[in-house]
Amino acid sequence: MARTTGSDGEKTEAAIRDAALDLIARLGFEAMSMRQLASQVGVQPAALYRYFPTKEVLLYALMREHMENLIGSWGEARPAEGSIEEKPAGRLAAFVENHIRFHLARRNSTHVSNLELRSLSEERLKRILDLRSEYEGELRGILTDGRRDGVFRIDDVSLTAMAIIQMITGVIVWFRPELRLSEDEVAANYHTMTMRLVGAAM
Amino acid sequence: MARTTGSDGEKTEAAIRDAALDLIARLGFEAMSMRQLASQVGVQPAALYRYFPTKEVLLYALMREHMENLIGSWGEARPAEGSIEEKPAGRLAAFVENHIRFHLARRNSTHVSNLELRSLSEERLKRILDLRSEYEGELRGILTDGRRDGVFRIDDVSLTAMAIIQMITGVIVWFRPELRLSEDEVAANYHTMTMRLVGAAM
């Protein structure tokens, strides 16, 4: 892999991130050693510490990148203002589809982000939770608008947002590309279930 | 705590299980040492190995107990045959309520069961997944019956079962007893959302 042998710092950092996501997803963060990671990337341990001075800094960088990419992907997927799709039902459809596709394309990163929060220091944990809250706020906004417009039936916006996020993130726990359903079919099914969950006519 | 100092073997084993769930939930399975666990329980490491010869045997015992208790709790909560509540809508309501209450009462055990599957050997993993499948089969049965009776609108029974399980298990990620909603209110809200998700009139 060209990425792992390039002398360019950015390539090395990307290779470290990729290898770390793979190792942490397989072994768990606590079980992975920096020595093991260096060997996987094909660099000296000292080189690793130039990019990530501690294991926790590395974990935080991985989780922050995951959340920033997720927020960025929604920024691009979000229907244009004033378009038909920008109405709450269209925005919810776009949100569910983008969320499922994003996570299915980044299984390792999703596992690490969901399973390893306990290894962050309090301050870094707070910053990751703030990013999550920012992202979930987008969904809460869609639900609030839909309820205001009378197109969604929702008793509790926060609870419903959490329920939807858990339901659609859960796809990566069981979805395997070789199974009977394609990614498109899964996304369509979850879209229908989400619309029913918010009491929209489907 | 009397449980941790009793000379009776069952009490010691229960104390080891409790302490292990607490430590694994906080530190992660790979990061916990048997020495640390022994010290937490207040016994010699050798005593631990009499009950659980390896760390993995201990993890498997914890996960198996969790799933067996969950299946057992549903066996008790399941509406009696021939009763009104035994119809699909009543059974689904009972399933959702039992699932949420069971998991909220066993946070550590739930975290361990959800986060540490990767540390099981292939054979033990298969046995845990078989228990999960048995439990999820109960939900699939309810959904199938409800669709047959025309009271649920469901496109894909397996997918819907996974979506519901992920949604209602997710409660423990964010629910804290000190928050604005009681356990009863949360269970009621999730019941409503589940009924909407399966297209039942609510």
Side-chain angles (χ1 to χ4, degrees):
Chain A
M1 296 185 293
R3 283 183 88 174
T4 61
T5 54
S7 58
D8 174 26
E10 281 186 16
K11 278 186 191 164
T12 306
E13 192 184 326
I16 295 170
R17 286 174 186 259
D18 281 354
L21 287 173
D22 176 55
L23 281 174
I24 299 172
R26 275 195 290 128
L27 310 173
F29 175 72
E30 298 295 344
M32 181 199 72
S33 73
M34 290 293 257
R35 179 170 297 275
Q36 206 171 8
L37 176 58
S39 140
Q40 176 104 346
V41 181
V43 299
Q44 294 298 318
L48 225 59
Y49 289 101
R50 276 206 298 278
Y51 295 95
F52 302 104
T54 69
K55 252 177 87 179
E56 195 220 331
V57 167
L58 168 61
L59 181 64
Y60 172 67
L62 297 175
M63 289 189 172
R64 199 190 53 204
E65 186 183 32
H66 182 83
M67 281 312 302
E68 286 174 349
N69 285 345
L70 178 57
I71 292 168
S73 77
W74 169 240
E76 287 179 22
R78 169 210 278 276
E81 234 170 278
S83 65
I84 290 268
E85 294 76 20
E86 204 242 340
K87 290 189 181 294
R91 254 189 299 153
L92 184 56
F95 188 92
V96 168
E97 180 172 354
N98 182 65
H99 186 95
I100 289 178
R101 289 192 192 283
F102 180 91
H103 288 92
L104 283 180
R106 289 167 191 80
R107 280 168 184 284
N108 285 344
S109 179
T110 302
H111 278 301
V112 170
S113 289
N114 287 345
L115 303 188
E116 306 291 355
L117 283 171
R118 65 185 161 208
S119 294
L120 288 180
S121 68
E122 204 172 323
E123 191 196 333
R124 293 201 176 96
L125 175 63
K126 194 186 167 306
R127 276 185 257 157
I128 296 298
L129 295 181
D130 283 349
L131 287 173
R132 283 196 182 194
S133 180
E134 177 186 339
Y135 178 67
E136 289 160 12
E138 292 286 319
L139 178 55
R140 286 193 295 270
I142 297 170
L143 300 180
T144 303
D145 291 353
R147 183 160 71 169
R148 178 206 58 207
D149 294 358
V151 292
F152 297 162
R153 270 191 312 152
I154 293 173
D155 299 327
D156 187 306
V157 164
S158 294
L159 225 59
T160 305
M162 292 311 299
I164 292 173
I165 296 262
Q166 301 286 348
M167 177 177 84
I168 62 185
T169 307
V171 174
I172 72 141
V173 173
W174 58 266
F175 182 76
R176 295 289 172 276
E178 68 276 15
L179 292 187
R180 65 187 167 86
L181 294 171
S182 70
E183 197 175 309
D184 283 350
E185 289 168 320
V186 169
N189 253 293
Y190 273 78
H191 170 234
T192 303
M193 289 192 283
T194 305
M195 296 305 275
R196 287 188 181 142
L197 196 157
V198 300
M202 277 304 282
Chain B
M1 297 185 289
R3 284 182 87 174
T4 62
T5 55
S7 58
D8 174 27
E10 281 185 16
K11 279 186 189 164
T12 306
E13 191 184 328
I16 295 170
R17 285 174 186 260
D18 281 355
L21 287 173
D22 177 56
L23 281 173
I24 299 173
R26 276 195 288 127
L27 310 173
F29 175 71
E30 297 295 343
M32 181 197 74
S33 72
M34 291 294 257
R35 180 170 296 276
Q36 204 172 10
L37 176 58
S39 141
Q40 175 104 345
V41 181
V43 299
Q44 294 298 318
L48 224 59
Y49 289 101
R50 274 205 299 278
Y51 295 96
F52 303 104
T54 68
K55 254 178 86 177
E56 196 221 331
V57 167
L58 168 61
L59 181 64
Y60 173 66
L62 297 174
M63 288 189 172
R64 199 190 53 201
E65 185 182 34
H66 181 84
M67 280 313 301
E68 286 174 350
N69 285 344
L70 178 56
I71 292 168
S73 77
W74 169 239
E76 288 180 22
R78 168 211 279 275
E81 232 169 281
S83 64
I84 291 269
E85 294 76 20
E86 205 243 338
K87 289 186 183 294
R91 254 189 299 155
L92 184 56
F95 188 92
V96 168
E97 179 171 354
N98 183 66
H99 187 95
I100 289 179
R101 289 193 193 281
F102 180 91
H103 288 91
L104 283 179
R106 290 167 189 81
R107 281 168 183 284
N108 285 344
S109 180
T110 302
H111 279 301
V112 171
S113 290
N114 287 343
L115 303 188
E116 306 291 356
L117 283 172
R118 66 185 159 208
S119 294
L120 288 181
S121 68
E122 204 171 322
E123 191 196 333
R124 292 202 177 94
L125 175 63
K126 192 184 168 308
R127 278 185 256 157
I128 296 298
L129 295 181
D130 283 349
L131 288 172
R132 284 197 181 191
S133 180
E134 177 186 340
Y135 177 67
E136 289 160 13
E138 292 287 318
L139 177 55
R140 285 193 295 270
I142 298 170
L143 301 180
T144 303
D145 291 353
R147 182 161 71 170
R148 178 205 59 206
D149 293 357
V151 292
F152 297 162
R153 270 192 311 151
I154 293 173
D155 298 328
D156 187 307
V157 164
S158 293
L159 225 60
T160 305
M162 292 310 300
I164 291 173
I165 296 263
Q166 300 287 349
M167 177 177 85
I168 62 186
T169 307
V171 173
I172 71 144
V173 174
W174 58 265
F175 182 77
R176 294 290 172 274
E178 69 274 17
L179 292 186
R180 65 187 167 86
L181 293 171
S182 70
E183 197 175 309
D184 283 349
E185 289 168 319
V186 169
N189 253 293
Y190 273 78
H191 170 234
T192 304
M193 289 192 283
T194 304
M195 296 306 275
R196 287 188 182 142
L197 196 157
V198 299
M202 278 304 281

